[in-house]
Amino acid sequence: MMVVFGIIGFLANDYRFHALGNESYLMVIIPVLLLIFFFLNGRQIFEYDSDGEALHFKNRNIIPFLSKALHDEFPKYKLIKYDVVSIFFIKRLYITVSSKNNGSTILKYQISYLTRKEVNDLKLSLNKVVKANKEKKD
């Protein structure tokens, strides 16, 4: 939306008003840079639910055309391990789930927009599930 308004403002200035001069290019460059930042930073909305016998993960973007939404649901006993990776401003959640065919599958979620407290709560919840699964195996 900002990119469209930036382009319209640029064209209006370039063909009609001539008020900004070379600064009018910023009306296109800044929204495009913000769009690139959103794309690199990942999906903004992450939902997690561990109530009941299954784990539910949803990861989607505010801007629908940037990337496809992810939605996974699997029983708690299939969770093998998880890992949270933080590099600069990008955070990713990697979940390893047992599978019948391949032995295990890694699911990837982008959690860059979660606060430190939300990430810690997520880790605590996943730790409980992993610990319960290890106790059942032993």
Side-chain angles (χ1 to χ4, degrees), residues 41-48 55-60 68-74 79 81-86 90-97 105-114 122 126:
N41 209 14
R43 294 175 181 92
Q44 291 84 21
I45 301 171
F46 178 77
E47 298 172 1
Y48 166 71
L55 296 172
H56 305 274
F57 294 94
K58 285 185 182 178
N59 204 196
R60 55 193 167 100
K68 194 171 101 176
L70 295 175
H71 179 262
D72 292 312
E73 179 178 344
F74 53 88
L79 179 66
K81 66 178 181 174
Y82 74 94
D83 190 24
V84 176
V85 177
S86 295
I90 297 173
K91 288 185 241 175
R92 302 278 164 100
L93 173 66
Y94 295 96
I95 295 182
T96 306
V97 179
T105 303
I106 297 176
L107 304 173
K108 302 169 190 165
Y109 301 100
Q110 298 159 339
I111 58 171
S112 299
Y113 291 93
L114 293 182
L122 176 65
L126 291 174

